[in-house]
Amino acid sequence: MKPLKPRSTGQRTPVRGRTGLADALFSATQQRVLALLFGQPERSFFTNELIGLVGAGSGAVQREIRRLVESGLVTVTRLGSQKHYQANPAAPIFQELCGIVIKTLGPAEVLRAALVPLGDQIRLALVYGSVASHSDTAHSDIDLLLVSDVLTLEQVYTVLTPVEQQLGRRVSPTLYSVAEFRRRRTSNNPFLTKVLVGETIRLTEGRDDLPTAG
């Protein structure tokens, strides 16, 4: 006799999207609050400033701030009628939390700062892939697209090595000249088209229409 097969219930398990590192650790509001306070630990923020920058409801932001203050992770100082909040460098996990915030919430900012000395040598710099779409995991590379008529890949790797050490993650750059970028854009190159229609984080100022130019 053939073994009976279990009868299908007609219900399928829903396929869920990949969970990014930051989403696995913190809620959306927590991510924004922590990114501000521990991504810029030398700076203090007053209440309304945090609420405006986070872009969430004032009640949700104030609850997160209150929890951070009560735990000792954040200090509060009253200046006149306003309360100013700042990451507490005396907290026992201050350095670790700053590192977690940088690695999970701020890789684009670290890259942006690293590219500043190159100035006008870079026409366009975009983070794309899983980091841009917030679906990265602990093993995900940081995908970077650069457009420059001056830089070589060797120079790019030299700049990116300290970034990789700071973030503990590999940065994978793709470098095009302006002419090559325009040619690939005009010919609807599959790779470049996929990058540009997907989610990206622009690291350079919008000096021209290069991303959409034919």
Side-chain angles (χ1 to χ4, degrees):
M1 295 179 60
K2 294 182 179 180
L4 295 175
K5 295 181 180 180
R7 192 180 299 175
S8 173
T9 61
Q11 295 181 342
R12 296 183 179 180
T13 303
V15 178
R16 298 182 179 179
R18 295 175 64 184
T19 300
L21 288 174
D23 293 330
L25 294 171
F26 312 111
S27 70
T29 301
Q30 287 173 333
Q31 288 178 37
R32 296 174 188 138
V33 172
L34 290 171
L36 289 168
L37 291 169
F38 287 89
Q40 305 176 66
E42 72 289 342
R43 179 182 170 187
S44 65
F45 300 83
F46 56 87
T47 308
N48 289 338
E49 184 181 15
L50 278 172
I51 293 172
L53 290 171
V54 170
S58 61
V61 175
Q62 291 186 64
R63 280 194 297 274
E64 294 303 332
I65 296 172
R66 184 169 59 251
R67 291 172 59 188
L68 291 169
V69 170
E70 291 174 351
S71 69
L73 292 173
V74 168
T75 61
V76 56
T77 305
R78 184 176 289 277
L79 299 177
S81 60
Q82 296 182 333
K83 291 182 178 180
H84 284 242
Y85 300 92
Q86 187 170 3
N88 182 9
I93 60 170
F94 171 77
Q95 294 294 343
E96 291 86 345
L97 192 50
C98 285
I100 290 173
V101 167
I102 288 174
K103 292 179 180 181
T104 61
L105 302 175
E109 295 307 315
V110 175
L111 275 170
R112 182 178 282 112
L115 297 177
V116 165
L118 300 179
D120 292 337
Q121 297 181 67
I122 299 177
R123 287 286 299 276
L124 178 68
L126 296 175
V127 173
Y128 64 96
S130 61
V131 171
S133 63
H134 304 290
S135 61
D136 54 318
T137 71
H139 305 291
S140 299
D141 289 355
I142 301 171
D143 298 308
L144 177 66
L145 174 67
L146 297 170
V147 179
S148 172
D149 282 334
V150 181
L151 295 175
T152 65
L153 266 178
E154 183 178 2
Q155 291 172 311
V156 171
Y157 283 122
T158 299
V159 171
L160 295 180
T161 296
V163 175
E164 292 180 323
Q165 294 172 345
Q166 181 178 356
L167 297 177
R169 300 172 70 175
R170 179 183 176 187
V171 181
S172 298
T174 297
L175 177 64
Y176 293 145
S177 66
V178 173
E180 184 179 11
F181 178 90
R182 292 186 184 278
R183 178 176 58 78
R184 290 174 179 265
R185 180 81 172 107
T186 303
S187 63
N188 293 319
N189 174 264
F191 167 75
L192 185 56
T193 299
K194 182 179 179 180
V195 169
L196 296 180
V197 300
E199 294 185 63
T200 60
I201 302 172
R202 184 161 182 163
L203 305 181
T204 50
E205 296 181 3
R207 293 190 293 268
D208 53 40
D209 63 345
L210 192 58
T212 58

